[in-house]
């Protein structure tokens, strides 16, 4: 990897993806299956992959018209471009024989997933810090920063899992929300249910699972507020969805703070449109246009190609919007922004964020690779940060905490955390 303008970037590399033929694939040609199931590549690329031997069955090259059979083992060699993450260092809060506690930066996923492998927390800790055989006890969302407890032994992992499952671990988060948050303590016990499994979206719903979050105002500037959050249950996106429901979405939450959830951005559970439209526009189009990430662009096209999920009218509207923005998003030397105005001058970055140990000899190129053929813009580091931070985790006899993130600095949160951390870090008994 190398560091450039505040981003940790992985050199493109070849990766072999393997899978056994699924039941629904049997009797179909290898070409048709990969064209239908993996829409980010396209039919032309799949023909090339089969003919060149990059896409094989049972370790052997096959013809494009090969029909898949039961127990066929498929291997696909792909040219992989990982999504960049912030280059913020991972702060070590505690490190003993049986436990590791770190302050996870925003944008880094816990485990390899999707388009992240080397840019995942466990890989970075192994590569940069020589910390191996790690067992994360819980998962923070990729964009959430803060206290991350990792067991280093199987016995400690079981002990901590038991505490979490028994709801004996106290959790405290900080976030920055839109609007002036109420001064009184708010208990939100709205149940959460899945809006869509495939895209990982959630909403408040009467048929959902029990969810409980306590919110308290820390400070406000009259337009935004710093809020202390205590989740008593551990549902996915719980804090984000509860804040959306209360009408105080996190300021830079690209998913749950969007007008595509309706005129009130989903306050009170009112989206003002069918769930199907929310799925597409919020998770794919909005993410693509704001984050300008390659993965989001590919996701958008993958979703819009599924015409069975959307009417043609909505699909055409979305594609027209993309056409108006595509020149800006796909170009690295654009002269105007996507709204037709001259882009604002960016502030100069400090030398630590602009320095790079880039090695041209480590770059690989594939003539058929979609990303190699298109010069995509990298996101700005600020676009990879969400104002939600795991501030403290604790139970009887121990507690771990981080320094207050820059976006949450205020007099109400001033405390001797930095001085306390100079002492021996606590361990879990």
């Amino acid at each position: 990897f190398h560091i450039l303008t505040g981003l940790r970037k992985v050199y493109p590399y070849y990766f072999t993806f393997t899978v056994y033929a699924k039941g629904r694939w049997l009797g179909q040609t290898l070409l048709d299956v990969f064209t239908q199931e993996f829409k980010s590549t396209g039919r032309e690329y799949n023909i090339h992959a089969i003919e060149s031997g990059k896409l094989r069955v049972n370790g052997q090259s096959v013809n494009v018209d090969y029909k898949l059979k039961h127990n066929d083992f498929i291997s696909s060699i792909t040219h992989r471009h990982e999504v960049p993450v912030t280059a913020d260092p991972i702060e070590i809060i505690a490190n003993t024989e049986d436990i590791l506690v770190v302050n996870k930066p925003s944008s880094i996923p816990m485990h390899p997933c999707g388009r992240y492998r080397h840019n995942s927390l466990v890989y970075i800790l192994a590569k940069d810090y020589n910390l191996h055989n790690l067992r994360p006890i819980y998962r923070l969302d990729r964009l959430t920063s803060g206290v991350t407890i990792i067991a280093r032994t199987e016995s400690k992992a079981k002990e901590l899992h038991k505490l979490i499952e028994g709801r004996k671990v106290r959790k405290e988060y900080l976030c920055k929300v839109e609007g002036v948050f109420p001064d009184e303590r708010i208990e939100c016990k709205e149940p959460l249910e899945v809006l869509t499994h495939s895209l990982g979206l959630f909403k408040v719903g009467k048929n959902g699972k029990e969810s409980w979050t306590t919110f308290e105002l820390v400070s406000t500037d009259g337009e935004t507020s710093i809020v202390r959050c205590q989740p008593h249950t551990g549902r996915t996106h719980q804090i984000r969805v509860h804040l959306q429901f209360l009408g105080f979405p996190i300021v830079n939450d690209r998913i749950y703070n969007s007008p595509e959830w309706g005129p009130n951005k989903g306050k009170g559970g009112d989206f003002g449109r069918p769930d199907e439209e929310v799925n597409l526009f919020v998770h794919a189009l909005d993410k693509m246009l704001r984050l300008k990430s390659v993965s989001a662009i590919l996701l958008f096209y993958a979703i819009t190609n599924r015409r069975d999920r959307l009417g043609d009218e909505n699909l055409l509207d979305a594609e027209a919007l993309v056409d108006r923005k595509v020149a800006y998003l796909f170009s690295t030397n654009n002269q105007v922004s996507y709204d037709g105005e001259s882009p604002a001058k960016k502030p100069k970055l400090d030398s630590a964020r602009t320095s790079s140990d880039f090695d041209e000899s480590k770059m690989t190129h594939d003539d058929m690779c979609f990303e190699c053929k298109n010069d995509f813009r990298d996101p700005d580091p600020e676009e990879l940060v969400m104002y939600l931070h795991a501030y403290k985790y604790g139970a009887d006899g121990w507690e771990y905490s981080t320094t207050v993130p820059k976006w949450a600095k205020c007099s109400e949160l001033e405390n001797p955390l930095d001085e306390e951390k100079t002492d021996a870090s606590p361990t879990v008994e």
Side-chain angles (χ1 to χ4, degrees), residues 128-362:
D128 297 2
Y129 298 83
N130 197 31
L131 295 167
H132 303 274
N133 300 319
L134 304 178
R135 300 168 174 84
I137 302 305
Y138 51 85
R139 182 180 64 85
L140 293 183
D141 288 343
R142 180 176 61 85
L143 293 177
T144 303
S145 57
V147 174
T148 305
I149 302 175
I150 302 171
R152 304 192 67 179
T153 63
E154 186 64 30
S155 60
K156 186 57 66 176
K158 291 180 179 179
E159 177 186 328
L160 293 174
H161 276 304
K162 186 176 180 179
L163 287 175
I164 291 176
E165 290 171 358
R167 298 186 182 178
K168 295 181 179 180
V169 175
R170 301 182 300 273
K171 311 170 191 176
E172 184 176 318
Y173 287 68
L174 296 173
C175 64
K176 186 175 184 178
V177 304
E178 288 187 349
V180 178
F181 200 81
D183 202 17
E184 68 271 13
R185 182 185 180 99
I186 292 180
E187 304 284 354
C188 186
K189 296 185 178 181
E190 298 293 336
L192 299 186
E193 65 181 36
V194 176
L195 180 60
T196 167
H197 284 285
S198 60
L199 299 180
L201 288 177
F202 295 80
K203 67 174 182 178
V204 165
K206 61 181 180 181
N207 298 320
K209 295 182 179 180
E210 173 197 5
S211 303
W212 175 20
T213 314
T214 299
F215 297 102
E216 291 182 286
L217 174 67
V218 175
S219 68
T220 181
D221 60 8
E223 296 182 356
T224 62
S225 302
I226 302 299
V227 176
R228 191 189 317 271
C229 320
Q230 294 176 293
H232 305 284
T233 53
R235 308 303 177 199
T236 303
H237 296 179
Q238 176 177 316
I239 293 175
R240 298 164 67 182
V241 177
H242 274 173
L243 285 168
Q244 179 197 51
F245 181 84
L246 294 173
F248 300 94
I250 294 174
V251 168
N252 57 353
D253 188 336
R254 307 296 190 186
I255 303 300
Y256 294 102
N257 185 3
S258 169
E260 297 300 341
W261 290 90
N264 295 317
K265 298 183 179 181
K267 180 179 180 180
D270 181 12
F271 301 152
R273 62 176 64 209
D275 290 353
E276 199 75 354
E277 291 185 27
V278 173
N279 293 351
L280 169 69
F281 288 96
V282 173
H283 194 78
L285 179 59
D286 187 69
K287 189 174 182 182
M288 173 188 131
L289 297 178
R290 296 195 189 196
L291 292 184
K292 301 183 279 294
S293 70
V294 174
S295 61
I297 293 170
L298 296 179
L299 174 62
F300 172 76
Y301 283 110
I303 294 173
T304 53
N305 282 334
R306 295 179 63 179
R307 292 177 180 269
D308 57 308
R309 293 181 60 85
L310 282 171
D312 285 340
E313 181 178 353
N314 288 334
L315 183 65
L316 292 174
D317 287 345
E319 290 178 342
L321 181 57
V322 171
D323 287 341
R324 293 198 296 272
K325 318 257 185 180
V326 73
Y328 173 78
L329 294 173
F330 282 18
S331 173
T332 58
N333 59 354
N334 54 293
Q335 299 301 310
V336 294
S337 61
Y338 55 71
D339 57 7
E341 299 177 357
S342 298
K345 291 184 178 180
K346 295 182 180 179
K348 291 184 178 181
L349 299 173
D350 58 59
S351 59
R353 294 182 59 190
T354 56
S355 62
S356 173
D357 52 358
F358 177 75
D359 185 349
E360 180 68 34
S361 67
K362 294 183 179 179

Side-chain angles (χ1 to χ4, degrees), residues 17 19 34-35 59 68 93 133 179 191 205 211 291 304 333 350 362 407 415 426:
F17 166 79
V19 63
F34 265 68
T35 301
L68 293 172
I93 298 173
N133 300 319
S211 303
L291 292 184
T304 53
N333 59 354
D350 58 59
K362 294 183 179 179
W407 50 262
N415 56 54

